[in-house]
Amino acid sequence: MHLEGLKIAVIGAGIGGLAAARALALRGAEVTVLEQADKIREVGAGLQISPNGAAVLRGLGMAPEKIGMASEAVHLLDRSGRSAIRMELQGPGTEASGAETPAAGAQGGYYLCHRADLIAALAHGARSAGARIRLLQRVERVQTGPEPEIRIANHARMRPDLVVGADGLHSCLRRAILGEADPAFTGQVAWRAVVPAAPEDPAGAEARVYMGPKRHLVTYPLRGGAYRNIVAVEERRDWAPDSWSHEDDPENLRAAFRGFCPEVQSMLGRVRRVHLWGLHRHEVAKNWTQGASALLGDAAHPTLPFLAQGANLALEDAWVLAEELSSAVEAGQGAEAGLGRYQQMRRPRATRAIEAANRNAWKYHLSFPPLRFAAHSALRLAGRFTPGMMLNQFDWLYGLDVTGGRRLSEPLPCPQSQGDLCP
């Protein structure tokens, strides 16, 4: 309880903010989460928790198997539905650099979750640890420095000991530390939707990736197979906003993937509501901290979705931030020393993960037929003779357990979200 008496304001009640709130509160801090919405809600969408993220949830006393369903495999197919490679999700190896920790795969696991369920569980966990969540608190400005001040739209002011900016891409704390940024449109857009399951859907708890020229579609089951998540990416020149809240006509999604196999057509035919967002490349923040303020998750390192690591990296950030703050305060070094070590530990790893995600997109979008045939043939050979090779290349990512096997709490019952998965 080394953070006892420290007043911390967390801006944003997303995955990273709520995880940080629980991690900090469990170490004794007085935590207040500021959320601008009138209630904690999530756009209907799924996410994948890999072993590095699952390890953090377990460390926080939260059982990922109660939040999502265990994933068995990642299955790459061409647009006709022909299998290229199916990768069984076994435990990854040990992190190659630094102190060795047990592989996260055996204890961490891979899970397919609905965002609303994970958010509900984290909010319950934050409150159970003593954190307060205040809604309708739109932060307009953060004054950084050794004595930070938060200005809220209702003219209220807060002067906590420390501020954590977990308010995403458009973070007001990120602007205060870094100034305005000019993200680059990647020439790719993504649709997200959740649809009711149907008997003709693929069986099994696996993530399927259907690959086609200049586009790919990812789908996997949610809520024990009652629903299916869809993420569809297309290369195009038409710009789209860098926001998850922008709705699109489902017919545009269906038209983009008209040449794909019947099982894809069946899923797309059930889409009634879909969100579209433009994929933009943002720089990893050079400075994550300033005075007694720190960035976390997408506010520090926005990532493209091609390794499914946005939520997992935010969970890691939350743990490391709380751990380094606690260690610094215990050693009498002060909170700012802990924030400095947090950035030092997290920035290289986040940068490496984001660079890997940036490189991953083109592999699914090969347009030149001979090259596409050769690549898919190589995948089939790899699946036959060295099926673990593709996953093993990411052992450095999935195999790191930032908790070192520590547990801050006994397992906490996780409530199911009451949100509508298919609005």
Side-chain angles (χ1 to χ4, degrees):
M1 304 290 282
H2 302 304
L3 299 182
E4 192 167 314
L6 192 68
K7 295 179 172 61
I8 301 178
V10 177
I11 306 172
I15 291 168
L18 292 170
R22 178 164 172 81
L24 292 163
L26 287 172
R27 289 173 168 86
E30 298 179 25
V31 181
T32 301
V33 181
L34 303 175
E35 169 57 44
Q36 66 178 346
D38 60 346
K39 65 179 180 178
I40 297 177
R41 61 163 68 90
E42 265 294 338
V43 161
L47 58 83
Q48 300 178 64
I49 297 294
S50 50
N52 51 312
V56 174
L57 290 175
R58 294 191 191 283
L60 294 175
M62 306 179 70
E65 65 273 11
K66 294 182 179 180
I67 303 171
M69 56 191 295
S71 181
E72 301 166 356
V74 175
H75 196 172
L76 305 185
L77 309 97
D78 64 22
R79 60 179 170 172
S80 72
R82 183 186 179 193
S83 177
I85 185 172
R86 186 176 189 272
M87 297 170 284
E88 302 286 341
L89 293 178
Q90 305 296 332
T94 309
E95 168 70 346
S97 62
E100 291 191 354
T101 59
Q107 297 182 357
Y110 296 82
Y111 298 90
L112 306 171
C113 304
H114 194 282
R115 282 182 176 270
D117 293 341
L118 181 56
I119 289 287
L122 288 168
H124 175 61
R127 290 187 174 111
S128 298
R132 295 178 299 166
I133 301 176
R134 292 173 52 184
L135 304 175
L136 293 170
Q137 303 295 304
R138 184 166 64 85
V139 175
E140 290 189 329
R141 183 181 173 189
V142 180
Q143 179 180 308
T144 60
E147 298 180 356
E149 180 182 86
I150 297 172
R151 298 184 184 182
I152 301 170
N154 62 6
H155 305 297
R157 297 188 182 192
M158 287 183 65
R159 293 182 177 88
D161 300 317
L162 190 145
V163 178
V164 177
D167 43 344
L169 285 174
H170 308 294
S171 165
C172 60
L173 181 57
R174 180 181 172 105
R175 288 196 304 272
I177 294 176
L178 303 172
E180 295 292 338
D182 188 16
F185 180 48
T186 63
Q188 299 176 90
V189 298
W191 289 271
R192 283 187 182 268
V194 176
V195 300
E200 64 268 24
D201 287 343
E206 65 178 29
R208 288 196 159 203
V209 183
Y210 296 88
M211 305 175 291
K214 297 187 177 181
R215 67 206 68 214
H216 77 277
L217 182 145
V218 181
T219 181
Y220 47 84
L222 295 172
R223 283 276 181 96
Y227 299 91
R228 290 201 71 85
N229 188 62
I230 297 170
V231 180
V233 178
E234 179 190 31
E235 296 179 17
R236 73 183 199 191
R237 294 181 179 178
D238 294 341
W239 180 87
D242 191 5
S243 168
W244 284 19
S245 61
H246 177 73
E247 288 196 38
D248 194 30
D249 186 340
E251 287 302 324
N252 293 332
L253 169 59
R254 286 188 271 270
F257 289 83
R258 188 165 288 131
F260 280 56
C261 60
E263 59 196 52
V264 169
Q265 300 307 313
S266 171
M267 285 182 273
L268 296 183
R270 282 172 258 149
V271 175
R272 296 294 175 266
R273 185 179 181 185
V274 66
H275 288 82
L276 171 73
W277 89 101
L279 301 182
H280 291 68
R281 188 171 287 111
H282 300 255
E283 293 292 331
V284 175
K286 291 182 173 61
N287 297 311
W288 294 25
T289 70
Q290 190 171 91
S293 303
L295 301 171
L296 183 149
D298 279 352
H301 48 77
T303 179
L304 295 175
F306 303 126
L307 274 179
Q309 283 299 295
N312 294 287
L313 291 175
L315 289 169
E316 288 185 6
D317 287 352
W319 180 279
V320 174
L321 174 67
E323 184 74 8
E324 292 308 315
L325 275 174
S326 181
S327 297
V329 171
E330 179 187 15
Q333 299 169 335
E336 291 189 31
L339 295 184
R341 288 207 298 269
Y342 158 69
Q343 173 176 319
Q344 186 177 17
M345 293 181 66
R346 294 301 301 155
R347 191 175 186 277
R349 177 166 168 82
T351 300
R352 185 180 181 187
I354 288 166
E355 288 174 349
N358 292 346
R359 292 193 299 268
N360 228 31
W362 70 271
K363 299 175 183 178
Y364 303 145
H365 294 183
L366 298 174
S367 300
F368 185 50
L371 180 59
R372 185 169 66 248
F373 175 79
H376 291 184
S377 297
L379 286 174
R380 293 185 184 99
L381 285 172
R384 184 175 178 184
F385 296 108
T386 56
M389 183 183 299
M390 285 190 65
L391 277 180
N392 290 345
Q393 67 179 310
F394 294 114
D395 278 0
W396 62 270
L397 180 59
Y398 303 138
L400 178 64
D401 178 354
V402 297
T403 75
R406 291 186 58 205
R407 301 291 181 265
L408 293 181
S409 157
E410 292 300 314
L412 181 73
C414 294
Q416 288 289 337
S417 167
Q418 300 303 309
D420 186 357
L421 295 186
C422 275

